[in-house]
């Protein structure tokens, strides 16, 4: 009994195709895992960089702005707000009597 060459090709080819498919599937899964780990590392790096930048900004604000300047700005801002409040109170006092002297709509004013 002689075995045909096509049978040999099929017998050898089938396991090779299965092995190649298994290798390709494993490579694809490994590549996907690496991409996910890389994304996680990048987001960790970005978060760490943001935190470092925020800390640096805070340090710059503390170290380079003198406390006397901050107090001066606070004092001037408070004075300006008090002047605005006084003006609003004055406008409120002036407009209150004028609003009372008007008649109600529909009321006979004779």
């Amino acid at each position: 009994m002689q075995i045909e060459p096509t049978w040999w090709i099929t017998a050898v080819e089938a396991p090779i195709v299965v092995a190649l498919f298994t290798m390709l599937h494993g490579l694809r899964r490994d590549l996907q895992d690496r991409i996910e780990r890389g994304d996680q590392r990048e987001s960790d790096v970005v978060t760490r960089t943001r935190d470092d930048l925020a800390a640096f900004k805070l340090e710059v604000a503390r170290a380079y702005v003198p406390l006397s300047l901050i107090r001066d700005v606070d004092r001037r801002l408070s004075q300006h707000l008090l002047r605005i409040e006084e003006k609003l109170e004055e406008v409120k006092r002036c407009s209150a009597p004028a609003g009372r002297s008007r008649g109600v709509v529909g009321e006979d004013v004779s």
Side-chain angles (χ1 to χ4, degrees):
M1 172 174 172
Q2 189 175 2
I3 301 175
E4 296 181 23
T6 56
W7 183 87
W8 279 106
I9 292 171
T10 305
V12 172
E13 183 179 289
I16 290 174
V17 169
V18 169
L20 286 174
F21 177 76
T22 305
M23 286 173 45
L24 286 174
H25 181 68
L27 286 172
R28 187 183 64 79
R29 190 175 55 226
D30 185 48
L31 183 61
Q32 187 66 30
D33 290 344
R34 285 183 182 189
I35 289 172
E36 289 174 4
R37 282 190 308 237
D39 290 345
Q40 179 64 32
R41 274 187 294 211
E42 287 175 7
S43 67
D44 290 345
V45 168
V46 169
T47 302
R48 198 173 333 118
T49 303
R50 279 190 188 135
D51 292 343
D52 291 346
L53 180 60
F56 177 72
K57 286 180 179 180
L58 185 61
E59 182 62 29
V60 167
R62 285 182 182 159
Y64 294 110
V65 178
L67 193 56
S68 60
L69 181 63
I70 294 173
R71 286 183 182 144
D72 182 51
V73 169
D74 183 49
R75 181 184 51 77
R76 289 186 315 168
L77 184 62
S78 297
Q79 289 175 349
H80 190 66
L81 288 173
L82 288 173
R83 286 195 307 264
I84 291 173
E85 185 179 353
E86 289 172 3
K87 289 179 182 178
L88 287 175
E89 289 294 327
E90 184 178 331
V91 169
K92 186 178 175 182
R93 276 186 263 132
C94 291
S95 66
R100 290 185 190 152
S101 65
R102 293 184 185 164
V104 179
V105 176
E107 181 181 73
D108 189 15
V109 189
S110 51

